[in-house]
Amino acid sequence: MKRRTFLKGTVAGGMLGIAASAGLLAPRMVLAAWPESAFAAKTIDDALNALFSDTSHSESSDIEIKAPDIAENGAVVPITVSTGMAAETISVLIQENPSPLACSFALGGSTQGFVSTRVKMGKTSDLIAVVKSGGKLHSAKKTVKVTIGGCGG
């Protein structure tokens, strides 16, 4: 290796390291957009308003929630939400959590209305699945009893 090539590589590597440590190379443009205000909301209506600019939703029997009736550990509660509707989004809210919005999934046009994930529950609460389909909000609810809270309780 020639001395000149070695010095060029060392200086370039050093400059990249300085730029990365200063935050100039953070991949902000490639990170997904997320509804920060919806996740910071303290009530279900505020979260729905931040997500959909609407809080009205109707109960629907086309939405199925699979979750345990009793969750021993609220830190990891497995849930599955499925629907036969052409879902645009599926959101999961937990009424008694400090921040009710647990997750929200934007689905593509050809995507099946099915979401399986794990959520954290602070205490026994209603788990509400809200599905946006055809520009309207539909919901289903299930109560999950938590024996050991997952939010420090």
Side-chain angles (χ1 to χ4, degrees):
M1 176 181 284
K2 295 183 179 179
R3 180 175 171 242
R4 182 172 298 224
T5 305
F6 175 75
L7 288 175
K8 282 182 183 177
T10 303
V11 170
M15 295 304 285
L16 280 174
I18 291 171
S21 66
L24 298 175
L25 298 179
R28 295 180 199 278
M29 299 302 286
V30 297
L31 295 176
W34 65 292
E36 185 176 358
S37 61
F39 282 101
K42 299 298 179 199
T43 65
I44 288 177
D45 284 344
D46 290 345
L48 290 176
N49 198 24
L51 273 177
F52 306 113
S53 300
D54 190 7
T55 60
S56 63
H57 53 93
S58 58
E59 292 278 331
S60 174
S61 61
D62 291 337
I63 302 170
E64 182 181 357
I65 300 173
K66 287 185 182 176
D69 293 330
I70 299 173
E72 291 183 19
N73 184 0
V76 182
V77 180
I79 64 163
T80 300
V81 178
S82 60
T83 180
M85 295 186 278
E88 300 167 24
T89 65
I90 296 177
S91 302
V92 176
L93 299 110
I94 299 165
Q95 191 163 13
E96 297 296 328
N97 274 6
S99 297
L101 181 62
C103 55
S104 182
F105 301 91
L107 306 177
S110 61
T111 307
Q112 190 176 24
F114 177 86
V115 169
S116 182
T117 187
R118 295 174 184 203
V119 296
K120 186 181 282 191
M121 297 183 71
K123 55 186 172 182
T124 299
S125 175
D126 286 336
L127 189 145
I128 302 167
V130 177
V131 174
K132 183 177 181 182
S133 176
K136 294 182 181 179
L137 300 178
H138 307 276
S139 67
K141 183 187 301 186
K142 180 175 183 170
T143 301
V144 176
K145 182 178 179 184
V146 175
T147 54
I148 299 172
C151 296

